Amino acid sequence: MRRTVSPFSLLTLGLGAFLLALAPLLAWYVEPRAERTPVDVDTTTVFTGTGSYFDTGAVKTVHGRRITVTRQVRGDVAASEKSGRAVWDVSTSVDTDASLPAADPHDALQWTLERWVTDRRTNAPVHCCGEQPSFEGEAYLKFPFDVHKRAYRWWDNTLGATVTLSYRGTKRIQGYEGYRFTGTVPATRTGSRLVPGTVVGQPKRNQVLAEEWYANHGIELVADPRTGRIVYAAIGPRKTLRAPGSAKDAVVLLDSERIAFTPATQRQQVALADDDSGRLRLLGTTLPLGAGAAGLAALGAVFVVRGRGGRGGTDGSEPSNPDSSPTVLEPSTM
């Protein structure tokens, strides 16, 4: 007899095949395309620490004062959509307690306004869309997606060059584990500035083109392995002035052994990293595994049901012939 297939079996078979096809599609196609730097970002991170700075009112360097660094990042959505790149406007101010709250950023010890443009997939710098300054490297305000356990070239805007950050294992920030990278910057001349001669120890000269020098006691970044978002950052900037041709610092403009993310900023960055990483994990791992398992289960159920039908009938019994009669064995004759 011809075996019949129920509509339910056909539906289950189709669903199983669809789920098995969906699993690799999510893992190999959808999830990688979801790994894109956001363009509608609007975040503020705050660093605090203790150090020294040049007080222009007292015309001298003061020590043991609190220093606050505030960085605001806003995505230029219109420019990003037009260019296909991640276009971020970044405002950074370095303040003392006297200039906080910063009603006017020009009152800060230092204030910069930059425009960062990167490839949304690779995080590589893209020189377009009014980028300022022109920068290089692999890591800036974030690391690339799927961070590796290796050294990265991090752009230090004060230095105007990249700094090699070495992988130093893992570190937990607010209970969240990330990859830790560290590095230092030796004293390097970064420019020049016209100042009164008395500032650099040359009182007989009205104006001196002093040399600007920069160093960093230590850079520490902890990045989320999946998204590259920085959940913890600490820096140790030192900026000084030297008399032309001198090998010694004449005045300290800014110096701190460590200025780091505040606990509130750490919690904010961890929450954002956990949320972003969770979505990528859902697309790249959880849903593909679930779809694959459900697909196999559906196909297995169909084969089990069909197997119970037997080879000769739908209920597993031997085929019957109501018109046939029992065979009678006649005794054989010798």
Side-chain angles (χ1 to χ4, degrees):
M1 295 180 63
R2 178 177 296 177
R3 184 183 307 168
T4 61
V5 180
S6 69
F8 176 77
S9 295
L10 289 175
L11 180 63
T12 305
L13 182 65
L15 178 61
F18 169 75
L19 290 174
L20 287 177
L22 179 64
L25 183 68
L26 288 170
W28 300 331
Y29 184 84
V30 177
E31 190 262 351
R33 281 157 180 76
E35 291 184 342
R36 294 292 184 271
T37 300
V39 299
D40 58 347
V41 63
D42 188 354
T43 61
T44 299
T45 54
V46 181
F47 302 66
T48 58
T50 302
S52 308
Y53 63 87
F54 187 78
D55 188 329
T56 55
V59 197
K60 66 177 183 180
T61 299
V62 295
H63 307 280
R65 307 298 176 88
R66 186 170 67 172
I67 299 170
T68 301
V69 179
T70 305
R71 174 173 288 162
Q72 185 176 55
V73 180
R74 286 182 176 175
D76 187 331
V77 177
S80 297
E81 292 179 346
K82 182 178 180 181
S83 65
R85 315 297 186 182
V87 183
W88 290 359
D89 292 320
V90 184
S91 171
T92 306
S93 64
V94 181
D95 291 278
T96 66
D97 287 347
S99 61
L100 286 175
D104 185 347
H106 295 89
D107 294 335
L109 282 177
Q110 179 181 318
W111 178 68
T112 58
L113 184 61
E114 303 156 345
R115 190 171 178 88
W116 298 65
V117 185
T118 59
D119 183 283
R120 296 186 63 198
R121 182 179 62 85
T122 66
N123 203 51
V126 179
H127 308 299
C128 75
C129 316
E131 170 207 28
Q132 180 62 37
S134 178
F135 63 100
E136 301 296 338
E138 302 170 285
Y140 326 98
L141 300 175
K142 69 181 293 294
F143 281 73
F145 288 94
D146 298 320
V147 183
H148 295 170
K149 297 177 180 180
R150 64 169 178 83
Y152 279 85
R153 291 178 297 116
W154 179 73
W155 176 260
D156 186 327
N157 200 43
T158 304
L159 179 65
T162 58
V163 178
T164 299
L165 298 184
S166 301
Y167 173 72
R168 300 297 185 185
T170 61
K171 183 174 182 177
R172 300 190 74 85
I173 303 298
Q174 302 291 331
Y176 192 86
E177 187 172 271
Y179 289 173
R180 178 173 177 261
F181 299 87
T182 64
T184 59
V185 179
T188 306
R189 182 178 175 179
T190 57
S192 57
R193 179 186 302 188
L194 194 63
V195 299
T198 55
V199 172
V200 291
Q202 297 185 357
K204 295 183 178 180
R205 301 177 62 182
N206 291 330
Q207 299 289 323
V208 174
L209 193 61
E211 298 175 357
E212 294 182 331
W213 285 72
Y214 165 74
N216 204 304
H217 300 291
I219 302 164
E220 180 183 9
L221 302 178
V222 179
D224 173 45
R226 184 178 289 270
T227 66
R229 183 183 290 274
I230 296 174
V231 297
Y232 179 81
I235 55 176
R238 178 178 172 84
K239 298 181 67 177
T240 61
L241 291 179
R242 297 181 182 181
S246 175
K248 296 182 179 180
D249 295 328
V251 62
V252 173
L253 300 177
L254 177 67
D255 188 21
S256 177
E257 290 285 340
R258 192 173 187 82
I259 303 175
F261 272 1
T262 64
T265 293
Q266 295 174 35
R267 290 190 292 269
Q268 167 193 284
Q269 294 300 102
V270 164
L272 291 171
D274 189 38
D275 185 54
D276 293 342
S277 183
R279 283 199 294 268
L280 292 177
R281 189 182 306 112
L282 181 68
L283 289 173
T285 304
T286 306
L287 285 180
L289 289 177
L296 289 174
L299 293 179
V302 171
F303 290 128
V304 168
V305 170
R306 289 174 61 83
R308 287 176 178 174
R311 294 184 178 181
T314 58
D315 60 354
S317 62
E318 291 296 324
S320 60
N321 186 353
D323 296 329
S324 64
S325 57
T327 301
V328 178
L329 298 178
E330 296 292 335
S332 59
T333 55
M334 300 296 298

